[in-house]
Amino acid sequence: MKTGSALEPELRSHGERLSWIPAGGQGRFRLSLAKPWLLLVGIVVLPYGESLKQSVPRVTLSYKDLVHGGSVSVFLSPVDGLHSHSVLLDEERGRLLLGARDSIYLLDPDNLNRAPRAISWPATKDRVEMCKLAGKNMNLECANFVRVLHNYNRTHVYGCGTGAFHPMCVFIEVSGRREDGVFQVLSGTVESGRLKCPYDPWQPFTSVLTDQFLYVGTASDFLGKDTAFTRSLGPPHDQHYIRTDISEDYWINEARFISAHPVSDTYNPDDDKIYFFFREASREGNDKSVLSRVARICKNDIGGLRSLTNKWTTFLKARLVCSIPGPGGVDTHFDELQDIFLLPTRDEKNPVVYGVFKTSSSVFLGSAVCVYSMADIRAVFNGPYAHKEGPDHRWVEYEGRIPYPRPGTCPSKTYDPRIKSTQDFSDEVVSFIRFHPLMFHPVKPLTGRPVFTRVRVDYTLTHIVVDRVMAEDGPYEVMFLGTDAGSILKVVSITQDNWSTEEVILEELQVFQNPSAILSMQISSKQQQLFVGSAAGLAQVSLSRCHLYGHMCAECCLARDPYCAWDGHTCSRYVPASKRRARRQDIKHGDPSSQCWDTDDRGGEEKIMFGVVNNSTFLECLPKSQLATIRWFIHRQGGEHREEVRPDDRVVLTERGLLIRSLHPGDAGVYVCVAQEHTHFTHTLLRLTLRLIPFGHLDGRPRLSEDPSVEARPGAESRQRYKDYLRVMSSPISSLEEYCNSLWLEKRPANRKAGKGQGAVLGAGKWKHIQELKKNRNRRHH
Ligand SMILES: *[C@@H]1O[C@H](CO)[C@@H](O)[C@H](O)[C@H]1NC(C)=O
Ligand SMILES: *[C@@H]1O[C@H](CO)[C@@H](O)[C@H](O)[C@H]1NC(C)=O
Ligand SMILES: *[C@@H]1O[C@H](CO)[C@@H](O)[C@H](O)[C@H]1NC(C)=O
Ligand SMILES: CC(=O)N[C@H]1CO[C@H](CO)[C@@H](O)[C@@H]1O
């Protein structure tokens, strides 16, 4: 499918205004949001006219926020650029191996920076020279990027690296205690890594090691053209390569391998298979496109005789579709598979398959998550085969006779004593599979459409891991999605009683100080941690940080985070088994009025600010939740009632707070900032008392707040300034106690974000600023 560039409307920025821009001059209109977070949900029109509700992350946490919240720690390499390409997490042995550039690290998964150990494994000087001569990049390509790390047996790990465009593999001995046990590369075991590891460190590829056999999907040459799915290693008596057939038109063409997983299909171990996922170039007549695939081979496939010697004889593949249905059967397709995660279920034969895809169009950028069942995948492999007359023909349904045993079936003595191995297959079966490896039907997502989509954002989703979390109202699958911009989205898809689903982005996390594309991601449900690799390093992030949602039951409830519940005192990790009652949580509706007693609206941070008549002032109020809408109320000095602040030329509502351009004496009063979320639920974030100083009174006086360091120095001078300051106020604070009290109120950690930079200077020269008492504090008065 091609996305229609003619239909693409321009995205234009109109400040904070929403504007309607004609789409492609076809009389359709589309909502353009320069600041999409102003709405709870942005509406996006897909290439074929379907509109899509797109949610906004409820909470966005910067790297600094996460560090302050004790939620992230990062392992950075002692030398430049770690390139965390491969992570081998071994929870049982309490260790984490990290494959990086020219080295392998042995880390403590509980604390990445506790006594890390490293072994150096560079490419040879000759190889680096040749790589440079071939025109490759010295820093990013001509080194040994370790991309394969698997446990081989109790004492040995098998690893491969790109070896400066000359892949190599080796056994690594890891035994004894992590701190002082054996950790060494066995240089006597170095061997060629061709067909086991890519040449190009940036090319997608996959590998899995099971029963001492290594299965790899990779490019097998320097140019990365020939791609194959192979098996190698194995017990000493059984070592030879098996690979996919080279016929590109039928088997595998310019594949980018994404993942591979051993899965049992039945209780008979002879039926055990390796399922693997990739995208590849597909030629249908003259159209060339990229399509995503699920494929499989039998674990007991030893290759055929004659035409498929040392080639798989049980290889089958099917298309994996992830699309949004559109009007008239024209769907919006997400064709390029980026990552796969298998979420285990109680039945190990039936894990849930999560896939991340992106669009192929360079105009319509978008990513989606689709979910598949193993039952649907097996049904497609049991269905009709596809048939192609020749290289220039299209695939159609095969309607001829199917040989026995059905091609793709694993040999098993249990089923037919005459067929003990794949070498017992008849020529008919072997030649059938050579030309009919593709199934006619595609595999469609469970719900008929993606469970999550992100379109028209300036990043794509590239990685996924999923955790199943037990909450008060049932189990939830929480997705952690890595992006090429270095952020992580934590998403939950919630199914309502009427079967409609709602996608909620609980958090958007910046896990690195200098964001760059995420290269690897691993989850440890046991440790409640996520390991995220990038070119910069390896980050360890907790799956939840309930305390950051706020102090109130309502804030905890509104968060709708299945990991968190209100325990009567704080928002904390929800443990389903715990006997503690009065755990308050409502993931399905996020409705505090059904869960919380503290919903009466008397809370909120309190502050005092001073403004100068005829000058501008800025009252900052940032909700923790980006889904909240803010309303301002004022109780004027001497006024009877509180009224809602109405914006006009002088009073501007911005997304960070209220800007009053030229203060009138009548502007004095108590300003109340109220957040509204979940349709009706409101709570007060801030009560700000604005007092006014008549213009001109400060002239000729010392400038009190220009240099806080001077003010902080205790001494007679600053005390004098403080007294001066009190004197010039039109409504001076009556006592020192009151002054101190107001400072104390300002410093309360009630709302960290709202407290940050309050009274912030707006474009310094442009708006002359309020002299704020806060900066004028003098510790000696406390
Ligand atoms: C593990 O494999 C290595 C490499 O083949 C071998 O040298 C070693 O003896 C094996 N160890 C055990 C415990 O089997
Ligand atoms: C299902 O219920 C939700 C609220 O619980 C509502 O917003 C939605 O419109 C309903 N969907 C359908 C198809 O009735
Ligand atoms: C504020 O400005 C207005 C006109 O711009 C002027 O008439 C008034 O005197 C000023 N008020 C003060 C207190 O300076
Ligand atoms: C007291 C005070 O801050 N006055 C300022 C008000 O704004 C004008 C210009 O915008 C400044 O010149 C004053 O110093």
Side-chain angles (χ1 to χ4, degrees), residues 296-298 300-301 312-316 408-411 422 425 433:
R296 68 183 200 187
I297 48 93
C298 294
N300 63 5
D301 192 337
W312 303 114
T313 57
T314 54
F315 170 75
L316 291 178
T409 311
C410 305
T422 53
F425 284 152
I433 211 121

Side-chain angles (χ1 to χ4, degrees), residues 613-614 662-663 665 693-696:
V613 171
N614 278 3
S662 170
L663 283 169
I693 306 163
F695 182 82

